Amino acid sequence: MIQTTRPPLRRPAPPPAALAEAEALLDGQPHKALTKAEAILAKAPGYPPAEFIVARALRRIGKGKQALARLDALARANARVPAVLWELGELSAELGDNPRAVVALQTLTQVQPSIPSGWFLLARCLRKLGHSGDAWRAELSAIYASSHDAELQKAALAVNDGLLDEADAVLKARLVRLPDDPPACRMVGEIAWRRGDMTTALEWVERAVLAAPGFDLARDFLIRLLMQTNRLPDALAHAEVLIGSPVESPGHKLILASVLVKLGHQERARSLYEELLAAQPEQPQVWQNLGHVLKTLGAQTEAVHAYRQAVKYQPTMGEAWWSLANLKTVRLDADDIAAMEAALASLGAATDEQNEDVFHLHFSLGKAFEDARDYPASFRHYDAGNALRRTMVLHDADSFSAEVRATAETFTAAFIAQMGDGGCPAPDPIFVVGLPRSGSTLVEQILASHSQIEGTMELPEMMMMAARLQSRVDEGEFADFATMVASLTPDDRTRLGEEYIERTRVHRQTGRPLFIDKMPNNWQHVGLIKLILPNAKIIDARRHPLSCCISGWKQHFARGQTFTYDLGEIGLYYSDYVGLMAAFDAHAPGAVHRVIYEDMVADTETQVRCVLDYIGVPFEPGCLEFYNNDRAVRTASSEQVRKPIFRDGLEPWRNYEPWLGPLVEALGPVLTAYPEAP
């Protein structure tokens, strides 16, 4: 079995009974161990095992310098005995003599390269001497040695088999013996992540990286955790470190590019992807990632080329086909349809992993046949793609409707008055809310063309904060949503508002005083927004229910929007949205400004002036020339908002009218009352 603690001393001969007795006394009674070992040396001067016990005993009673002298002498005579080298290295490090420690530990790791503890200690000493590159390599060697450790292998197998409690017990016992063992810390973090405990996961993985800064796999995992919790500046800092690894890996550049994309640093991400492709062009995933960045930057021709390169190298890559179709301004021709149908046929009975390609291909074929005006075929593929995708997401329409009703019943005029003043007074945020495909990107692009307003992206911060508050109800701290919200004191609300301002600061790249948060789902939290950010503006972008819902149903979203994959469910969601916004309008008149998409198309200038008046900024002609704004746009409408407003396609639902019964039924009176609420 591979050792992970101090290597044993190679004894030239079996020790006498007195030697064994002295050894047994070392940890509990080092003074007695010293006495017995010296007695042995009196009879057998220079006997190495006894000398070794003397040195270790001296160290334990606080006589480190004397111990070091004895160890030095032992090491000269026993230059390749692992136990002596380990003790010498460890004691030298304790005394701050890192050069001496490094010499001993370098010899130790040459003699026994399979023992991780020697490599880890060597790395710590090298870092203290400023030799970070050598330290990094030593830590990588330690991780490699750890991969052969039987105890860690047992824990890893248990994790892979889903036996998380068993793995956790093995690792926690190991950490009692080997505190801050980096591989064990990382694996405990993974267990917490698999359990959904992100806070604990981050603590353990950060501990692993702190103990071994050259543990590349742990740092990579940490970056991914930080991205999942939206701690993007921290993720970027770690990604910048990772690309300095002495072991070059394309994966390091890929994860850095991912962080940069999330932060909105598209140009640098583009450069990284292009570097990777220059070195190795046959990488469909990298071509696709590059296409996403180019699309966001408005470089449509280059984006089309990138996506086509992706499907050239991997014809079944459904997401790349969908990315082409999702440009909206690109038409997939008969050759493309044939290629996609061949790809779909080749996938046959798809695995769970291949289902991602299958539903993307169905969505892409739906768009291609729509462009070809073959609406029955188009609907058939859209329907198949949505049906498959629906099996892969969680959405409880009834539960969601109940939550929306609870919110509407909470934020009454009386409740709002009872809560009184409070919250962060910052006027910076402009929330653009509504359903996806409602014209919200158009509103955002118009506003972002104003000299005082910065466009960012769909920011997750408010959704995350609301989920955190809801978890207090789910975990039993409060009886219901209303009780939880009512418990927020003015100071609580101020802190929450300040937290939002601080967390979103990373997305602001200019000095403009106002910024847009275009997360559409924030309509669910308009009451909370006004409680914690009373001076924030909220713009409700609304579109005809059939046009909005069918456009959302035809759209595959990279994440979230789980309600869009069933015509009945998307209709219920639209009805819930209208109901909540109507209730808020009644109890807080004027708090939300509504923009009706069809009105914006019919009389753009009047609508733009109205929304700018609501925000409190003067009209600027540039807002009417929003299509000249070259800012990065990440939503599905990114290409459409780079052109003047067009009136075509105002009623896309008409092409699919024969099949819209479930949607019409779910919308009910909301459909006939539009643009008013029933």
Side-chain angles (χ1 to χ4, degrees), residues 417-481:
Q418 170 193 325
M419 294 298 286
D421 295 334
C424 172
D428 307 28
I430 301 169
F431 293 89
V432 178
V433 305
L435 264 70
R437 313 297 294 143
S438 64
S440 57
T441 303
L442 173 62
V443 172
E444 177 197 35
Q445 186 78 343
I446 289 169
L447 296 180
S449 300
H450 194 283
S451 62
Q452 295 185 41
I453 304 173
E454 178 176 3
T456 56
M457 60 184 78
E458 295 180 356
L459 305 181
E461 279 76 11
M462 186 59 64
M463 298 286 289
M464 293 172 67
M465 292 169 64
R468 192 177 73 214
L469 291 173
Q470 179 62 40
S471 70
R472 299 175 68 184
V473 179
D474 299 339
E475 293 168 5
E477 184 180 349
F478 295 98
D480 52 35
F481 177 79

Side-chain angles (χ1 to χ4, degrees), residues 264-465:
H265 301 163
Q266 310 291 341
E267 287 288 2
R268 188 175 171 205
R270 172 183 182 171
S271 296
L272 287 169
Y273 290 137
E274 288 174 343
E275 285 176 23
L276 289 166
L277 291 167
Q280 188 178 345
E282 297 182 7
Q283 299 185 78
Q285 185 64 54
V286 182
W287 277 113
Q288 179 178 272
N289 292 351
L290 176 60
H292 293 339
V293 168
L294 292 167
K295 170 191 170 183
T296 301
L297 291 170
Q300 188 185 89
T301 302
E302 293 95 324
V304 169
H305 172 72
Y307 291 139
R308 289 204 176 278
Q309 288 295 103
V311 297
K312 169 187 170 183
Y313 292 118
Q314 188 176 328
T316 60
M317 194 171 193
E319 187 181 347
W321 280 113
W322 172 242
S323 298
L324 268 174
N326 200 30
L327 285 170
K328 308 303 182 189
T329 54
V330 170
R331 288 181 176 268
L332 299 175
D333 59 23
D335 289 340
D336 292 322
I337 290 175
M340 288 188 287
E341 288 178 332
L344 203 54
S346 73
L347 289 170
T351 64
D352 288 345
E353 186 176 342
Q354 289 173 323
N355 278 337
E356 293 274 342
D357 291 315
V358 171
F359 74 69
H360 276 116
L361 283 164
H362 277 305
F363 274 98
S364 306
L365 282 163
K367 175 62 165 59
F369 281 114
E370 181 179 8
D371 291 342
R373 301 182 185 277
D374 184 346
Y375 299 114
S378 173
F379 184 87
R380 187 171 64 251
H381 280 290
Y382 277 134
D383 194 43
N386 275 290
L388 177 55
R389 183 63 173 138
R390 182 64 184 88
T391 66
M392 301 167 69
V393 299
L394 296 174
H395 178 69
D396 186 333
D398 293 337
S399 176
F400 181 80
S401 295
E403 290 178 12
V404 172
R405 285 194 299 273
T407 303
E409 291 165 3
T410 297
F411 289 98
T412 62
F415 177 83
I416 294 169
Q418 170 193 325
M419 294 298 286
D421 295 334
C424 172
D428 307 28
I430 301 169
F431 293 89
V432 178
V433 305
L435 264 70
R437 313 297 294 143
S438 64
S440 57
T441 303
L442 173 62
V443 172
E444 177 197 35
Q445 186 78 343
I446 289 169
L447 296 180
S449 300
H450 194 283
S451 62
Q452 295 185 41
I453 304 173
E454 178 176 3
T456 56
M457 60 184 78
E458 295 180 356
L459 305 181
E461 279 76 11
M462 186 59 64
M463 298 286 289
M464 293 172 67
M465 292 169 64

Side-chain angles (χ1 to χ4, degrees), residues 154-186:
K154 178 182 178 181
L157 287 172
V159 170
N160 290 336
D161 291 341
L163 305 174
L164 302 185
D165 290 342
E166 179 182 319
D168 199 43
V170 170
L171 294 166
K172 293 293 176 57
R174 179 185 180 89
L175 286 164
V176 170
R177 301 192 321 273
L178 300 169
D180 293 325
D181 179 55
C185 289
R186 193 213 66 81

Side-chain angles (χ1 to χ4, degrees), residues 455-617:
T456 56
M457 60 184 78
E458 295 180 356
L459 305 181
E461 279 76 11
M462 186 59 64
M463 298 286 289
M464 293 172 67
M465 292 169 64
R468 192 177 73 214
L469 291 173
Q470 179 62 40
S471 70
R472 299 175 68 184
V473 179
D474 299 339
E475 293 168 5
E477 184 180 349
F478 295 98
D480 52 35
F481 177 79
T483 307
M484 182 274 294
V485 175
S487 75
L488 298 175
T489 67
D491 286 345
D492 291 335
R493 290 152 53 193
T494 298
R495 281 193 294 271
L496 286 167
E498 289 173 346
E499 178 187 345
Y500 173 84
I501 295 296
E502 189 56 38
R503 288 171 67 105
T504 54
R505 199 176 303 282
V506 66
H507 300 289
R508 301 175 68 175
Q509 310 295 326
T510 71
R512 297 182 183 186
L514 307 177
F515 73 98
I516 305 164
D517 180 341
K518 202 192 77 66
M519 175 61 74
N521 310 63
N522 279 333
W523 66 265
Q524 302 163 35
H525 309 302
V526 289
L528 176 64
I529 289 170
K530 295 307 287 186
L531 281 183
I532 70 174
L533 291 161
N535 295 321
K537 302 298 183 182
I538 303 174
I539 299 168
D540 175 17
R542 188 169 298 183
R543 186 182 181 190
H544 188 281
L546 290 179
S547 295
C548 186
C549 292
I550 195 66
S551 293
W553 181 78
K554 293 190 303 173
Q555 179 73 43
H556 174 257
F557 297 92
R559 65 189 63 83
Q561 319 307 359
T562 55
F563 60 91
T564 63
Y565 302 110
D566 178 276
L567 285 171
E569 288 178 344
I570 196 171
L572 288 173
Y573 186 94
Y574 190 103
S575 297
D576 290 336
Y577 145 73
V578 169
L580 180 60
M581 298 305 290
F584 200 75
D585 287 344
H587 295 293
V592 175
H593 178 82
R594 186 154 296 110
V595 175
I596 302 298
Y597 177 72
E598 292 79 13
D599 292 344
M600 178 67 80
V601 172
D603 188 357
T604 306
E605 182 171 344
T606 297
Q607 294 302 313
V608 169
R609 287 183 180 275
C610 287
V611 74
L612 293 178
D613 285 344
Y614 164 74
I615 293 170
V617 295

